[in-house]
Amino acid sequence: MKFFPLLTAALVSSAAISATPLQARQASSSSSAAATSTQDSFSSSSSSSGSGSSATSSASASASSATSTSSSGSSTNSSIINSYNSTLSYNSTATANSSDVYGVSAAGFANVKSASNPLNIVLTNDDSWGSANIRALYYALRRAGHRVLMVAPSHNQSGKGGTVVLPASLNITSAGRGGFAPVGAPFAGLNVTDPGLRYFNGTPAACAGWALDHDAQYFFNATSRNDSTAGVDLVVSGPNEGTNLGPFLYTLSGTIGASYFAVERNVPAIAFSASTDVRQYTSLNLSDVDDESVKIATYSANFVSTVADNAKASNSSARVLPLGIGLTVNYPEIAPTGNCTDLEWVHTRLTGKAIIDRFVVNSTTGLPTYANYVSEGVNACLAGNCSLPGETDVVENGNCQASASIYSVDYDAPTNATQDLVAALTSGIQSLNSNGTASNSSANSTSA
């Protein structure tokens, strides 16, 4: 697969989609209902089930104990049940564009493009399943026609990189972000009104792994598959609440960590990071195309569909991304947080004006803190196309540009940058091995 031309074509197509003027807010009884935030609440009496009808009856049975009141005053029911033994599949949920699916048909997603090649997508992040950004992207991807399984951390897991931390107890011992996974809830749970919404009490990489090895095989009806992908075509991580620009933050970010974990598990992955506020999903206005999280979700869903459709244009069974390759996307400040209203996509690289930490002492507290440092080491261009602009400069230049950078999980250094080192290392290893042999011979001679 010639991926660079495909990405360029995808960015051009996605830019055309993104440049479409956002439609005015649509007010109707159906969109108002869709805009109402459904709050997750824990019901200890619920148990997992193996069919959609059972899930519906579970939701009804627990209505009295798990009914919450939204900001608009209407009552909604969304119990959390243990997903450990769940065999609920996507087919047990309503179809992606059904008007009775909360959020998916909301007026705010009017600019989401329908995918020509719908994918099986695992969605995760590091900000938790209570983040407005991930909930909006879940609905946007489903609006595009993709089949989506969200398995995100119960707690905020920002800055965890690719670390894998699994639950230490069967039940949550400290409330997750926003209280959406309360104390006593199971370590893995799902929302019975929409079984595609799930959490896992672990790091982002652990969430991706749990989804691939446990939930996805049932959700996507892939129990007969023997490979490690469980029928998943793509892992999408984010959108993160904050950008992750350059190689240093690539290693630190839990959002990107989940994506490169997936890539190493043979599954293509795209990480999205945005200059957005920290918001709970209960603050979403899904009927408003200008809601910050809805807008970022629309851009992201269109990017996913465009990249996938270009990759599969001549072969519907083709991978979305080549083996060992992932994408990391960063957004500038989108209105209303910033002034960006007409987004332009740019193919970038990770290096180029990227930063790393340097440590200084706070003059007021006397404690160490960190400051940005643009070093030559973090910006050395050793692989890829060095003529591409750096993602840090593109996103922060104030020109309303989003970056799309290709990364590889092959961390071996390129040979054209290490020829002298290879020669020196080869000579050194030969010398060490020779000295070791000589020492052993000497020791054997002495002992004899």
Side-chain angles (χ1 to χ4, degrees), residues 2 7 24 38 64 248 329:
K2 296 181 178 180
L7 178 62
T38 301
S64 60
F248 178 56
V329 171

Side-chain angles (χ1 to χ4, degrees), residues 309-326:
D309 288 347
N310 276 274
K312 294 175 175 290
S314 59
N315 181 4
S316 61
S317 62
R319 291 174 57 91
V320 176
L321 302 175
L323 190 66
I325 297 295

Side-chain angles (χ1 to χ4, degrees), residues 22-206:
L22 294 175
Q23 297 180 7
R25 179 173 177 174
Q26 301 175 20
S28 66
S29 57
S30 60
S31 63
S32 297
T36 302
S37 296
T38 301
Q39 183 172 351
D40 300 306
S41 55
F42 173 59
S43 173
S44 59
S45 62
S46 298
S47 60
S48 60
S49 60
S51 67
S53 59
S54 298
T56 302
S57 62
S58 295
S60 301
S62 59
S64 60
S65 62
T67 298
S68 60
T69 302
S70 70
S71 57
S72 65
S74 61
S75 295
T76 56
N77 170 51
S78 53
S79 304
I80 293 173
I81 64 173
N82 193 329
S83 66
Y84 179 75
N85 294 315
S86 174
T87 56
L88 288 171
S89 70
Y90 179 81
N91 291 335
S92 70
T93 67
T95 57
N97 290 312
S98 175
S99 60
D100 62 353
V101 178
Y102 171 81
V104 176
S105 59
F109 298 114
N111 294 315
V112 172
K113 171 192 173 184
S114 294
S116 299
N117 295 274
L119 306 174
N120 290 343
I121 294 176
V122 163
L123 176 64
T124 191
N125 71 352
D126 70 4
D127 295 313
S128 91
W129 79 319
S131 166
N133 283 356
I134 193 171
R135 293 294 179 104
L137 183 52
Y138 172 80
Y139 298 130
L141 288 169
R142 290 194 61 184
R143 177 67 165 262
H146 300 294
R147 297 167 292 275
V148 187
L149 169 64
M150 188 188 90
V151 182
S154 54
H155 297 64
N156 189 310
Q157 296 282 351
S158 296
K160 300 297 185 181
T163 59
V164 175
V165 179
L166 300 174
S169 60
L170 293 175
N171 298 94
I172 290 176
T173 57
S174 63
R177 170 176 157 173
F180 301 123
V183 173
F187 70 80
L190 59 81
N191 181 321
V192 294
T193 59
D194 188 343
L197 294 171
R198 307 186 183 196
Y199 71 81
F200 182 72
N201 187 18
T203 53

Side-chain angles (χ1 to χ4, degrees), residues 63-390:
S64 60
S65 62
T67 298
S68 60
T69 302
S70 70
S71 57
S72 65
S74 61
S75 295
T76 56
N77 170 51
S78 53
S79 304
I80 293 173
I81 64 173
N82 193 329
S83 66
Y84 179 75
N85 294 315
S86 174
T87 56
L88 288 171
S89 70
Y90 179 81
N91 291 335
S92 70
T93 67
T95 57
N97 290 312
S98 175
S99 60
D100 62 353
V101 178
Y102 171 81
V104 176
S105 59
F109 298 114
N111 294 315
V112 172
K113 171 192 173 184
S114 294
S116 299
N117 295 274
L119 306 174
N120 290 343
I121 294 176
V122 163
L123 176 64
T124 191
N125 71 352
D126 70 4
D127 295 313
S128 91
W129 79 319
S131 166
N133 283 356
I134 193 171
R135 293 294 179 104
L137 183 52
Y138 172 80
Y139 298 130
L141 288 169
R142 290 194 61 184
R143 177 67 165 262
H146 300 294
R147 297 167 292 275
V148 187
L149 169 64
M150 188 188 90
V151 182
S154 54
H155 297 64
N156 189 310
Q157 296 282 351
S158 296
K160 300 297 185 181
T163 59
V164 175
V165 179
L166 300 174
S169 60
L170 293 175
N171 298 94
I172 290 176
T173 57
S174 63
R177 170 176 157 173
F180 301 123
V183 173
F187 70 80
L190 59 81
N191 181 321
V192 294
T193 59
D194 188 343
L197 294 171
R198 307 186 183 196
Y199 71 81
F200 182 72
N201 187 18
T203 53
C207 288
W210 177 259
L212 292 175
D213 292 330
H214 187 272
D215 287 355
Q217 59 181 318
Y218 296 108
F219 195 76
F220 297 124
N221 296 315
T223 53
S224 62
R225 293 173 66 102
N226 294 319
D227 59 40
S228 63
T229 67
V232 178
D233 299 307
L234 181 70
V235 168
V236 174
S237 188
N240 190 64
E241 295 168 340
T243 55
N244 288 302
L245 296 163
F248 178 56
L249 289 174
Y250 168 91
T251 62
L252 289 182
S253 166
T255 297
I256 301 179
S259 76
Y260 58 69
F261 176 92
V263 171
E264 291 169 348
R265 282 288 305 269
N266 307 325
V267 182
I270 303 175
F272 292 96
S273 302
S275 304
T276 58
D277 292 332
V278 175
R279 298 175 62 197
Q280 311 291 46
Y281 79 91
T282 49
S283 69
L284 281 170
N285 185 351
L286 298 180
S287 67
D288 186 2
V289 293
D290 288 325
D291 180 282
E292 181 181 52
S293 295
V294 169
K295 194 181 296 186
I296 290 293
T298 298
Y299 288 139
S300 301
N302 287 343
F303 182 89
V304 167
S305 297
T306 304
V307 168
D309 288 347
N310 276 274
K312 294 175 175 290
S314 59
N315 181 4
S316 61
S317 62
R319 291 174 57 91
V320 176
L321 302 175
L323 190 66
I325 297 295
L327 287 171
T328 174
V329 171
N330 280 275
Y331 292 103
E333 290 187 345
I334 303 292
T337 299
N339 297 319
C340 177
T341 58
D342 189 10
L343 189 70
E344 177 187 3
W345 290 91
V346 181
H347 181 189
T348 54
R349 57 180 295 105
L350 271 72
T351 59
K353 298 187 179 180
I355 59 98
I356 191 171
D357 284 349
R358 64 181 304 172
F359 298 95
V360 297
V361 175
N362 185 296
S363 59
T364 302
T365 65
L367 295 172
T369 186
Y370 51 84
N372 292 340
Y373 174 41
V374 181
S375 72
E376 293 180 356
V378 79
N379 286 294
C381 183
L382 303 176
N385 184 352
C386 295
S387 68
L388 292 174

